[in-house]
Amino acid sequence: MIPFLDLQKINERFRAEMDARIGAVLDSGRYLQGEENEKFCKHFAEYCGTKYCLGVANGLEAISLIIRAYGFGNGDEIIVPANTFIASILAISQNGCTPVLVEPDPTTYCIDPGRIEEAITPRTKAILVVHLYGQATPMEKVWEVARWCGLKVIEDAAQAHGAMYRGKRVGNLGDAAAFSFYPGKNLGAMGDAGGITTNDAALYEKVKALANYGSDYKYHHIYKGTNSRLDELQAAVLDVRLAHLDADNARRREIARFYREHITNSLITLPETYDEAAHVWHVFVVRCKERDNLQQYLRRHGIETNIHYPTPPHKQGAYSEWAEQSYPITEEIHREVLSLPISPVLTDEEVREVIHAINTWK
C-alpha cells in the first residue's frame, strides 16, 4: 500500500534531533512558555519575515484569537472563501461575527479576488483569505479592496507553510496570519499546535494576553481570555522540522511537477499554479467527474487517497441556516476533488506507480 501520508517515516528522518531536544525539555522541568517556545517563535517569525510570532494551541484558535483581538463581534461581517475547511468559518462564528461566503477561483481554488468587492457591506470588517492546498491567494486585488474600504486582511495559512507571493512568504501578506501545525501539515508537530504571525506590536501583545487567560503578567488579567498555548515539547519538535521545511517543500514541488508532466488521463483535471516555485503542495488535488470510482480503483491498486473536502461548509449541519444557499463553483469542486499521495518521503518509484495507475484507469 502506498500511504496517503506516512507521518512515522517523515518524522523518523529527524529522530535523533527530536530526541535530543525533547530530552532537553524533560531535563529542564519547564514545559510551558520556556526557551523552546521562545526559540521556535523567533525562528518562525524570521522565516515568515514578520516581527512577531506567537505559539498557540491550534490553527482554529489562531484565527479566532486574531478576530477577537481586533474586537470584531456581533453584527460584524468577515468575508471568507466558500471553498475552505470549516475551521476558517468556525473561528468567525465563535466570535459572534457573520461569515460572508465568496466563491473561489476554479483555477487556484482560493477565494476569487474579483468577487470580494461585491460582498462588502457597511458591516464588513475584514477579509479572511485562505491559502488553500499550499498555494498563496493572489493578493493584489485583496490589498486594493482592503485599503479602499478600510478592512483588515487576515491570512489562514494553515496549509501553506513556506509558500510565497511576489517574493514574500505567507504569514507576511496581511495584517495578521494564522497557522496550524497539525501533524499532517508541511510543518507539523506531534500533536495539535498553532501560531500567529504579525508585524503589529499592539495586536501581538493583545493576542499574547488573550491566549494566556487574558493576563499581561502573572495573576493580572486585563481581558476575559482563554488558555491557548504552544507547549515546549511541540515547540522543540517544530523548531527541528522548521530547519528542514524548505528542503521538504522542494521535494513536494518535484513530485508535483512529475505528476503534472506525466498524468495524461483525459478524465483527470490537474491542478494549476501561477508560480511553480512558490507553491508548496500541501496536498496535490486533482478533479474527476467520477471521483468516487477513481478513488475505489486506486484503493484496489494499493494507493491511498483522501478528499479535501467531501462536503462544503455551507452544506454542513452546523450551518443549517445556509441550507438553501447555493455556491455552484464550490459545490462542483467538492464533488470532484481527490488528493493524491504527496510528501517528502514518497519515493520516485511510488510516484511512478501512482501515475501508471491513474493513466490506466478506464
Side-chain angles (χ1 to χ4, degrees):
M1 171 68 75
I2 297 175
F4 176 71
L5 186 65
D6 191 337
L7 290 177
Q8 191 278 331
K9 191 174 180 181
I10 287 172
N11 286 310
E12 186 62 32
R13 300 172 298 158
F14 316 124
R15 180 65 176 267
E17 294 175 80
M18 288 181 179
D19 282 348
R21 295 286 286 272
I22 290 171
V25 172
L26 295 176
D27 291 342
S28 75
R30 182 163 185 178
Y31 308 133
L32 284 170
Q33 297 178 306
E35 290 183 6
E36 293 293 343
N37 202 313
E38 183 177 329
K39 192 182 304 181
F40 168 69
C41 288
K42 176 179 182 295
H43 291 162
F44 194 63
E46 290 172 350
Y47 180 81
C48 293
T50 59
K51 294 179 180 177
Y52 308 103
C53 172
L54 176 72
V56 297
N58 54 65
L60 173 58
E61 285 280 295
I63 308 171
S64 184
L65 283 163
I66 292 169
I67 294 170
R68 188 171 176 184
Y70 278 130
F72 303 147
N74 292 336
D76 293 335
E77 296 176 352
I78 297 178
I79 291 171
V80 63
N83 179 45
T84 184
F85 181 55
I86 199 168
S88 311
I89 295 168
L90 288 172
I92 298 171
S93 301
Q94 285 179 353
N95 285 280
C97 301
T98 300
V100 176
L101 306 187
V102 171
E103 287 269 55
D105 180 330
T107 61
T108 67
Y109 302 120
C110 297
I111 194 169
D112 184 344
R115 295 174 180 263
I116 291 175
E117 195 168 357
E118 65 191 38
I120 293 173
T121 75
R123 296 181 296 279
T124 307
K125 299 296 184 183
I127 304 167
L128 175 61
V129 297
V130 181
H131 305 307
L132 200 66
Y133 303 155
Q135 180 161 232
T137 301
M139 295 296 294
E140 273 94 349
K141 182 66 174 179
V142 178
W143 292 327
E144 178 187 329
V145 171
R147 283 194 299 267
W148 182 257
C149 299
L151 306 177
K152 294 296 183 183
V153 176
I154 303 169
E155 300 174 71
D156 178 345
Q159 298 186 16
H161 314 77
M164 306 279 288
Y165 186 75
R166 299 290 189 263
K168 296 176 72 173
R169 292 197 194 275
V170 301
N172 192 22
L173 301 177
D175 295 288
F179 287 87
S180 166
F181 303 122
Y182 180 78
K185 304 297 186 183
N186 291 35
L187 179 59
M190 304 292 279
D192 276 323
I196 295 169
T197 57
T198 186
N199 291 306
D200 184 336
L203 178 73
Y204 170 74
E205 293 298 334
K206 189 166 183 180
V207 292
K208 185 177 179 182
L210 283 169
N212 187 34
Y213 299 100
S215 173
D216 54 349
Y217 60 88
K218 196 168 185 178
Y219 301 134
H220 186 259
H221 304 270
I222 54 176
Y223 307 114
K224 296 173 183 176
T226 188
N227 174 17
S228 182
R229 298 176 295 199
L230 177 66
D231 69 66
E232 287 288 279
L233 292 172
Q234 301 301 345
V237 167
L238 287 168
D239 203 45
V240 170
R241 291 281 314 269
L242 178 59
H244 303 275
L245 178 58
D246 283 345
D248 280 358
N249 285 343
R251 174 57 179 161
R252 287 175 178 271
R253 279 192 289 272
E254 189 176 70
I255 294 168
R257 189 180 310 114
F258 205 76
Y259 276 152
R260 280 157 46 85
E261 289 174 355
H262 294 91
I263 293 176
T264 57
N265 191 322
S266 61
L267 299 174
I268 307 299
T269 300
L270 295 170
E272 298 182 24
T273 174
Y274 56 81
D275 186 349
E276 186 75 44
H279 201 314
V280 296
W281 300 102
H282 171 57
V283 285
F284 188 91
V285 177
V286 300
R287 289 173 63 182
C288 179
K289 298 290 185 184
E290 298 181 51
R291 186 263 314 280
D292 294 343
N293 288 338
L294 174 61
Q295 185 176 42
Q296 292 167 14
Y297 170 86
L298 292 174
R299 185 183 299 119
R300 290 196 302 270
H301 284 74
I303 298 166
E304 186 179 21
T305 59
N306 210 331
I307 299 173
H308 296 89
Y309 301 94
T311 306
H314 70 280
K315 294 296 184 182
Q316 299 282 357
Y319 289 99
S320 56
E321 65 270 27
W322 292 339
E324 300 305 314
Q325 294 190 28
S326 176
Y327 297 90
I329 298 173
T330 294
E331 290 159 20
E332 183 179 26
I333 289 170
H334 285 249
R335 283 194 301 269
E336 296 181 358
V337 291
L338 185 68
S339 300
L340 306 183
I342 188 167
S343 84
V345 297
L346 199 66
T347 68
D348 290 347
E349 182 181 349
E350 288 172 327
V351 173
R352 285 192 291 269
E353 189 174 334
V354 173
I355 291 168
H356 177 73
I358 290 175
N359 285 343
T360 54
W361 178 58
K362 289 284 189 177

